[in-house]
Amino acid sequence: LEEERQRYKTALSIGSFAFFSIDLTEGKLCEPIITKNGENLLNEFGISIPTYYDDFARIMFGEERIVSDSEKINMLRSRKRLIAAYKEGIAVIDLDYRVTDKDRNIHLIVMLHKKDKNVIASFIFYDNK
């Protein structure tokens, strides 16, 4: 099942500009997020690793940086909210948002699943033109 999930995430990430996974139970982001152009998104935000998901999410999905019509964006702003969503049966969060200072539209798919006893979130970012 884990191999199947990996293949599915790999297939979905084709055409994306960035992809990362995080163990929400542990709550730490321990690897850089490298875009298809070789840029480290964490450097753009002045974040060094390891960092807690909530600290990262406060910047990445903060209201000062992005605009979204979807209420789902609020789930992304907190590790606890994502875990709660998973426990409520949500396996995929699919939404669009706009990065205001970059005039960029993003389509984001977040896949939630359990690995051993931990909840994992995989984020796949696409340019939405």
Side-chain angles (χ1 to χ4, degrees):
L1 184 60
E2 186 59 33
E3 285 180 27
E4 187 176 320
R5 281 190 187 117
Q6 285 298 102
R7 283 193 295 272
Y8 183 66
K9 286 191 288 189
T10 300
L12 280 178
S13 68
I14 294 171
S16 68
F17 74 83
F19 172 87
F20 77 95
S21 291
I22 183 168
D23 182 328
L24 294 172
T25 306
E26 297 291 324
K28 282 188 181 178
L29 188 59
C30 296
E31 295 181 19
I33 303 170
I34 307 298
T35 68
K36 70 179 180 182
N37 297 328
E39 301 160 336
N40 182 344
L41 284 180
L42 298 179
N43 288 345
E44 178 182 330
F45 304 130
I47 298 172
S48 57
I49 50 177
T51 189
Y52 287 101
Y53 175 80
D54 287 346
D55 295 336
F56 161 76
R58 193 174 302 115
I59 296 169
M60 181 72 172
F61 304 115
E63 292 178 2
E64 310 79 36
R65 181 176 178 269
I66 67 169
V67 174
S68 178
D69 292 336
S70 176
E71 290 295 318
K72 297 176 193 175
I73 196 73
N74 291 321
M75 285 187 269
L76 306 181
R77 292 179 173 145
S78 162
R79 178 179 71 89
K80 288 183 181 180
R81 285 186 207 141
L82 280 171
I83 292 171
Y86 175 77
K87 289 179 179 177
E88 291 171 9
I90 296 173
V92 177
I93 301 167
D94 191 2
L95 60 93
D96 295 310
Y97 66 88
R98 179 174 167 76
V99 181
T100 53
D101 65 341
K102 297 207 180 274
D103 195 28
R104 186 176 196 181
N105 295 311
I106 306 294
H107 181 77
L108 174 61
I109 298 173
V110 181
M111 299 184 328
L112 302 169
H113 70 276
K114 202 161 206 170
K115 182 176 181 182
D116 300 321
K117 294 183 179 184
N118 294 2
V119 178
I120 308 298
S122 297
F123 293 73
I124 307 169
F125 299 87
Y126 301 91
D127 278 312
N128 194 5
K129 302 189 181 189

